[in-house]
């Protein structure tokens, strides 16, 4: 069962025993586009500022930060993700599957001020090292896309989509492997409105 409910918060559904579930890959993927575009815009503006180091050094440093950020984010806590995927129990028939759009919206609402602060910091850093801060943010966004892609390959291999209880995602709706998460649940690959990896179904 899939719903587009703004108020869906994972609380137990009275009299039915189900839980609100969000796709793990969608939660991971939700921050990729905002970080990428914030980073690209900040880097584009930042490259116009000579900065203390000069543009050439700034862009070279930014390229290194981009690669490091993408790699670190893509591999961060993979063992934890893999362990939860392997131990995922089958979702119950009364569990409610949260729509992709709702999961993405909840993540972005919960992180909007963090994104604003990161963007401002990236712009400010351009006065010292042009474009480097923006490229760091963009690299983090790419890392999230890579992690979501890796999860998608695991889901295809297991022929199961992986879900987490909405009320375990934390206040900002963005911690799919945080401490409150005790286990994940699995459904068939046709469940929900997002493909393996969290992208929209075509």
């Amino acid at each position: 069962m899939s719903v587009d409910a703004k108020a869906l918060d994972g609380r137990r559904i009275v009299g039915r025993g189900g839980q609100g579930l969000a796709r793990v890959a969608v939660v991971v993927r939700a921050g990729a586009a905002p970080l990428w575009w914030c980073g690209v815009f900040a880097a584009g503006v930042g490259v116009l500022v000579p900065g203390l180091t000069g543009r050439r050094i700034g862009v070279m440093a930014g390229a290194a930060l981009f690669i490091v950020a993408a790699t670190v984010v893509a591999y961060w806590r993979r063992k934890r993700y893999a362990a939860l995927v392997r131990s995922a129990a089958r979702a119950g028939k009364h569990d409610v599957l949260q729509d992709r759009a709702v999961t993405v919206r909840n993540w972005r609402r919960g992180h909007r001020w963090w994104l604003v602060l990161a963007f401002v910091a990236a712009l400010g850093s351009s006065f010292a090292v042009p474009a480097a801060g923006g490229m760091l943010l963009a690299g983090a966004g790419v890392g999230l896309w890579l992690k979501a892609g890796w999860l998608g390959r695991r889901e295809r291999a297991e022929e199961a989509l992986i879900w987490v209880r909405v009320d375990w995602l934390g206040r900002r709706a963005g911690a799919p492997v945080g401490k409150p998460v005790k286990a994940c649940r699995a459904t068939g690959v046709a469940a929900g409105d997002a493909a393996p990896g969290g992208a929209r179904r075509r």
Side-chain angles (χ1 to χ4, degrees), residues 8-147:
L8 183 61
D9 61 1
R11 291 175 294 184
R12 189 169 293 280
I13 301 170
V14 178
R16 299 185 67 184
Q19 295 287 345
L21 303 179
R23 277 286 302 286
V24 172
V26 173
V27 176
V28 170
R29 191 184 180 92
L35 285 170
W36 167 258
W37 288 114
C38 284
V40 168
F41 187 74
V45 173
V47 81
L48 301 176
V49 181
L52 297 177
T53 64
R55 294 187 184 91
R56 181 171 176 273
I57 293 176
V59 171
M60 290 177 63
L65 289 173
F66 179 94
I67 294 170
V68 170
T71 302
V72 169
V73 171
Y75 284 92
W76 184 256
R77 306 199 74 180
R78 273 201 183 187
K79 289 184 179 179
R80 169 78 167 147
Y81 280 95
L84 288 172
V85 169
R86 286 194 301 269
S87 63
R90 209 70 179 165
K93 65 179 181 180
H94 294 309
D95 287 332
V96 180
L97 307 182
Q98 190 176 77
D99 283 352
R100 180 185 186 276
V102 177
T103 303
V104 171
R105 182 169 65 241
N106 289 345
W107 189 99
R108 292 178 181 175
R109 283 179 178 173
H111 292 80
R112 61 188 181 277
W113 293 114
W114 290 102
L115 291 169
V116 170
L117 289 173
F119 176 71
V120 170
L123 279 180
S125 70
S126 294
F127 290 97
V129 188
M135 294 177 78
L136 174 66
L137 284 184
V142 169
L144 289 177
W145 269 316
L146 292 174
K147 180 177 287 183

